Every structure is written in structure tokens, then in C-alpha cells.
Amino acid sequence: MKKRKVPMRKDIVTGEMAPKKDLVRIVRDKDNNVSVDPTGKKSGRGAYISLNVEIAKRAQKERTFDKVFETKVDSQFYDDLVAYVDHQQARRELFEDGKA
């Protein structure tokens, strides 16, 4: 059986390459609205961040998405991002433990 290529993306906070499924896409649309894109299919400029709470908090502290998207991002977005990443990380740990 042919081995499939794993899509890789760069985490904008750490600069490390990781499999796309281990990251979450953040998108800025044409109206400069920044939002989490769980499907990875929203139109607009995208950037990826790891599903790791520490990295999300680091992005919040450094206001990474303000720099990447060259726009003022609301503080509430960063709070929502940390909560989303925390939830996804907990889900992943729960379901991976169930498979083992």
C-alpha cells in the first residue's frame, strides 16, 4: 500500500513545522475579522498555532496575531483562543486514552 504524504504547516508562535491535524487555523477575512477556523476551510488569510495551551497563552502575551495579520485583534479573541485550545487538547487526550 502506498504511504500517504502528511500535510505539514508551520506554527507561527514557535516556528516549528507540525502535522496539520495537530494545529488549529486562525483566519482573517477581508473585513479584518480574526476568528478560529476549526474546519480549515474559511476564506481569508490563515495562520496556524499548535493545540497546546502554553503556546496559546504565549501568543496571547506576545499578541502574535496582531503582528501576523497586521491588524488590532480584540483581547476577547485571545481569551476565546486559549479556551478553545484547552478544550481541544483535553478532547484529544481523552480520546487518545480511549484508543489505547
Side-chain angles (χ1 to χ4, degrees), residues 28-44:
R28 182 196 72 201
D29 62 17
K30 63 183 176 186
D31 298 326
N32 283 337
N33 298 321
V34 178
S35 61
V36 175
D37 180 12
T39 63
K41 296 180 181 183
K42 283 186 183 177
S43 63

Side-chain angles (χ1 to χ4, degrees), residues 2-69:
K2 189 174 180 183
K3 197 168 189 177
R4 299 187 109 190
K5 183 179 170 190
V6 177
M8 301 290 281
R9 297 291 184 267
K10 189 176 200 175
D11 180 335
I12 61 161
V13 178
T14 63
E16 295 175 7
M17 296 294 285
K20 190 176 174 181
K21 67 180 180 97
D22 294 341
L23 304 169
V24 63
R25 184 172 186 250
I26 309 300
V27 67
R28 182 196 72 201
D29 62 17
K30 63 183 176 186
D31 298 326
N32 283 337
N33 298 321
V34 178
S35 61
V36 175
D37 180 12
T39 63
K41 296 180 181 183
K42 283 186 183 177
S43 63
R45 170 84 169 92
Y48 291 84
I49 184 171
S50 293
L51 287 172
N52 184 325
V53 176
E54 298 305 316
I55 292 174
K57 287 181 180 178
R58 183 172 152 198
Q60 181 179 28
K61 182 179 161 213
E62 297 172 2
R63 300 199 60 85
T64 303
F65 294 105
D66 290 36
K67 298 169 193 161
V68 170
F69 294 134

